[in-house]
Amino acid sequence: MPPPLPPCPLGWAHKVQPSPVVSLELFLDLCCPFSAKMFGVLERVAPAIEEKHPGKVQFRVFNVPQPWHAQSSYMHEVALAACQIEGMEPWSVHSEIFKNQAQFFDDATIDKTRKQIYEELAALVTSEAEKKEAILQKLVIAPGSGNCGHAMQQTLKFYVKYHRARSIHVTPTVLVNGLEAGEISSSFTEEQWMEWLVARL
């Protein structure tokens, strides 16, 4: 039996555009300071470019857990779980984790269990007890299930396969209309982003 395929398109759009002129795929790691820096700027750029050029630019975030930070997978698993909960807005979920990512750096998590990290992240992305519990339920690993994982394992695999198939190795990496834009970096300011995008419209 062949491996499963995603039931819907991957990625988290800031705003779904039916026919954008410029489509950006943003490959980001929630544990990466450079990814956080880029995302923070794009939180301002995305609404600004939409206001000036509605429907022309689409931003879509793709989760890229980097294995040299073991807790990175846990951060992405919680984000992916939260994005499946009704009423949770994907960009807001990722924003909250990015803003507080230092709480989950290597030195801050070395003595914490996987479950503790899950619980802290779930509490970070929502203050509503019902939603927090719904997130954590998606991350339960049943006793005696071996390596079967939890409800989010296959979703995480989809994202990992997606970026591997596109030879994405470092974060952040940006694809523009399907091709890597090597000149874009995390040091781009809001003004640089706007100038770069407008020049392509």
Side-chain angles (χ1 to χ4, degrees):
M1 187 175 183
L5 295 171
C8 60
L10 299 177
W12 310 105
H14 180 266
K15 181 178 181 180
V16 176
Q17 310 288 12
S19 53
V21 176
V22 178
S23 178
L24 295 102
E25 293 180 285
L26 312 164
F27 292 86
L28 309 177
D29 176 22
L30 288 166
C31 200
C32 168
F34 303 104
S35 293
K37 183 178 180 181
M38 177 178 284
F39 187 87
V41 174
L42 289 176
E43 284 191 284
R44 300 188 299 275
V45 170
I49 197 73
E50 177 64 17
E51 182 179 357
K52 293 184 178 181
H53 302 278
K56 299 295 185 181
V57 181
Q58 177 159 276
F59 300 87
R60 190 176 289 272
V61 168
F62 291 86
N63 300 74
V64 183
Q66 296 287 25
W68 41 86
H69 303 299
Q71 71 281 11
S72 176
S73 288
Y74 306 157
M75 296 169 76
H76 287 277
E77 286 169 344
V78 170
L80 293 171
C83 290
Q84 291 188 1
I85 304 301
E86 186 176 356
M88 300 288 288
E89 201 285 311
W91 269 58
S92 296
V93 168
H94 287 75
S95 176
E96 200 61 39
I97 296 177
F98 272 131
K99 289 174 182 175
N100 295 278
Q101 67 174 192
Q103 297 179 31
F104 303 95
F105 282 172
D106 295 348
D107 60 346
T109 57
I110 187 64
D111 293 320
K112 293 181 180 179
T113 67
R114 181 176 184 174
K115 190 174 182 180
Q116 283 175 316
I117 295 172
Y118 282 160
E119 290 174 347
E120 290 180 16
L121 284 161
L124 180 67
V125 299
T126 182
S127 59
E128 297 180 37
E130 186 175 339
K131 289 180 179 178
K132 178 184 174 183
E133 182 59 27
I135 292 169
L136 293 174
Q137 279 299 311
K138 290 181 176 293
L139 302 169
V140 170
I141 297 176
S145 61
N147 270 342
C148 292
H150 47 57
M152 299 313 303
Q153 181 165 293
Q154 186 58 63
T155 303
L156 184 67
K157 285 183 178 180
F158 287 147
Y159 276 89
V160 171
K161 288 181 178 181
Y162 191 88
H163 76 73
R164 286 180 179 176
R166 285 152 184 77
S167 298
I168 304 297
H169 300 291
V170 300
T171 54
T173 293
V174 179
L175 300 190
V176 176
N177 294 339
L179 296 179
E180 183 175 349
E183 68 268 32
I184 295 178
S185 78
S186 60
S187 65
F188 260 34
T189 63
E190 185 175 347
E191 293 73 23
Q192 286 175 306
W193 267 110
M194 293 296 289
E195 181 181 356
W196 193 93
L197 289 168
V198 169
R200 284 154 181 81
L201 298 179

